[in-house]
Amino acid sequence: MTGRTILQVIPELGAGGAERTVLEMAEAITAAGGRALAVSYGGRLVGDFEALGGRHITFNVKTKNPIAMRANASRLAKLITEEGVDLIHARSRAPAWSAYWAAQRTGIPFVTTYHGAYSARSKVKRAYNAIMAKGDRVIANSEWTAGQVRAEYDIDDDRLVTIPRGVDLMLFDPAAVAPERVEGQRRAWELEPSGEGLCLLLPGRLTGWKGQGLALEALSQLSPGERERLTLVLLGDAQGRSDYVQGLMDNARALEINHKVRFMPHTRDMPAAFLASDIVISASTRPEAFGRTTAEASAMGRPVIAPDHGGARETVIEGETGTRFTPGDAAGLAASLRTLISIGPSARAAMGEAGRRHITANFSKRGLQAATLQVYSDLLGGVAKARV
């Protein structure tokens, strides 16, 4: 990658898995001797991107206005020429159209990444989504995502590559988290000190499909005796969904479990948050394309309960690193809770250790970086030979 300039295009650089991957690849590109550029509408991760050695250019590539998208293509083509960009990598549909047109004008390779699958209920929507399958290489962030792409589009196997999301194993390392951080987290959640009571943690923004309501229902299905030592922490920001949050609180009161539930805002110290818990829950009612929560929780040595769909089938090994339940089934989630509670702390610790081994072997940030750099190198090598 020495001397190569890679341009990533994404709607915004705010919070999210795709955004985090932009930063991870900026780190990898600069470490390999290349230049990392990104175009987006901006966001709170711009400073982090630039701290990694990248250069960010701000303009509105998140717009879906066809005229603006064409104008963005011209701006991108100009940027490609001025900056000597060798390859453009798009991570979302609207900017992907602009990036595709710019790549065609300038003759550079065009790469896309599916950070999730897209629904298409009409021919127009399917045509709009199809841009993500037009890359010279099309990256899927899990085998589940790759299967969805194959089912929807006629795409050659030599163009579609699966590169799973990666966990930063230096950041998400139990040995790197001081006990004071963990106990501070438990105090913030108004929990008993570690070893007294069990904390069930469900991280994720507070929105219906993340399954917070399902978790409340499952908790209510446990007997009062089973619930006695349990506390459920719903960790995430409402992002303006105050009515939804109020509905959850009302439901907890109606189920007479409100004293067992904590509503807590998102924390930047997720490694400590995972260690402050005993069991981590994912309850998404729609398939997660990868499932960052399950992978990071396993990396931190925590047993995981997850729905049996999407990327969780790859990150959670049934009976070894945690357990899976039928999606949307509160009784199934309650049964999974009983299982992990009843096996005791030693067995849960063994599951957590198996989880870290699984994530380390298959879902590391360095693995993602190396595989993506290889995609870039393969395309750039081919382009270079073709131009000789």
Side-chain angles (χ1 to χ4, degrees):
M1 291 302 299
T2 301
R4 297 292 196 176
T5 298
I6 307 299
L7 171 60
Q8 299 182 80
V9 188
I10 192 167
E12 296 180 273
L13 265 181
E19 292 82 355
R20 181 58 58 181
T21 307
V22 170
L23 269 63
E24 291 169 350
M25 287 314 303
E27 178 185 49
I29 291 163
T30 55
R35 293 176 66 221
L37 306 183
V39 168
S40 83
Y41 193 55
R44 65 181 178 87
L45 292 180
V46 169
D48 294 352
F49 177 83
E50 294 179 337
L52 291 167
R55 180 187 166 209
H56 181 268
I57 301 96
T58 303
F59 60 89
N60 186 12
V61 287
K62 71 176 185 177
T63 179
K64 297 179 181 179
N65 181 297
I67 297 174
M69 289 164 67
R70 282 289 184 182
N72 283 337
S74 297
R75 294 185 69 179
L76 287 173
K78 184 172 184 289
L79 180 68
I80 288 167
T81 301
E82 291 176 346
E83 296 291 337
V85 173
D86 295 291
L87 179 148
I88 189 166
H89 187 165
R91 298 183 178 276
S92 186
R93 291 165 292 178
W97 279 107
S98 300
Y100 174 65
W101 293 323
Q104 286 186 313
R105 293 184 197 181
T106 56
I108 67 170
F110 171 61
V111 176
T112 61
T113 289
Y114 275 87
H115 290 278
Y118 304 110
S119 60
R121 299 180 181 178
S122 68
K123 290 183 178 180
V124 172
K125 188 65 176 291
R126 188 173 188 274
Y128 174 67
N129 294 348
I131 185 59
M132 299 302 291
K134 290 182 180 292
D136 296 306
R137 291 294 185 275
V138 177
I139 299 171
N141 71 343
S142 68
E143 290 294 349
W144 179 84
T145 302
Q148 299 297 302
V149 175
R150 290 190 189 95
E152 188 71 15
Y153 298 103
D154 182 16
I155 184 167
D156 298 334
D157 286 341
D158 60 350
R159 281 200 305 121
L160 180 63
V161 56
T162 300
I163 303 178
R165 280 281 309 281
V167 175
D168 186 338
L169 295 171
M170 295 182 68
L171 177 64
F172 289 92
D173 178 1
V177 180
E180 293 79 10
R181 286 166 57 188
V182 178
E183 291 306 321
Q185 198 70 71
R186 291 183 68 89
R187 285 194 301 272
W189 296 346
E190 300 178 356
L191 300 177
E192 298 168 322
S194 294
E196 300 179 26
L198 292 178
C199 174
L200 314 176
L201 177 64
L202 197 167
R205 63 187 182 275
L206 300 181
T207 185
W209 75 273
K210 286 291 187 178
Q212 289 91 3
L214 186 73
L216 293 178
E217 187 177 349
L219 184 61
S220 74
Q221 292 186 15
L222 301 179
S223 70
E226 290 172 320
R227 292 197 299 265
E228 184 178 357
R229 297 180 61 245
L230 304 181
T231 302
L232 172 64
V233 175
L234 301 178
L235 182 68
D237 294 331
Q239 299 178 330
R241 303 180 187 90
S242 55
D243 289 346
Y244 174 67
V245 177
Q246 187 60 55
L248 290 174
M249 292 179 173
D250 292 344
N251 191 30
R253 278 191 292 271
L255 294 170
E256 299 182 349
I257 57 171
N258 53 299
H259 61 295
K260 290 293 182 181
V261 182
R262 304 284 190 274
F263 290 84
M264 293 293 162
H266 173 73
T267 175
R268 291 180 65 89
D269 194 356
M270 284 305 300
F274 286 126
L275 284 187
S277 70
D278 297 282
I279 298 169
V280 177
I281 302 169
S282 171
S284 300
T285 56
R286 300 202 307 257
E288 299 266 14
F290 174 73
R292 176 170 54 95
T293 293
T294 59
E296 291 176 349
S298 287
M300 292 305 295
R302 288 298 177 258
V304 177
I305 298 173
D308 189 20
H309 59 187
R313 289 178 172 173
E314 298 160 47
T315 56
V316 180
I317 304 176
E318 174 63 39
E320 293 185 29
T321 70
T323 186
R324 302 196 300 263
F325 66 97
T326 301
D329 181 13
L333 176 52
S336 292
L337 286 170
R338 286 192 184 96
T339 296
L340 292 195
I341 292 166
S342 66
I343 61 175
S346 296
R348 287 195 297 270
M351 276 190 167
E353 291 168 4
R356 181 162 177 83
R357 290 194 298 270
H358 177 55
I359 298 304
T360 299
N362 299 289
F363 303 103
S364 71
K365 180 185 77 170
R366 290 190 176 183
L368 174 147
Q369 291 170 324
T372 307
L373 288 178
Q374 188 62 56
V375 168
Y376 296 164
S377 295
D378 290 347
L379 286 172
L380 292 171
V383 170
K385 292 175 183 176
R387 289 176 179 172
V388 171

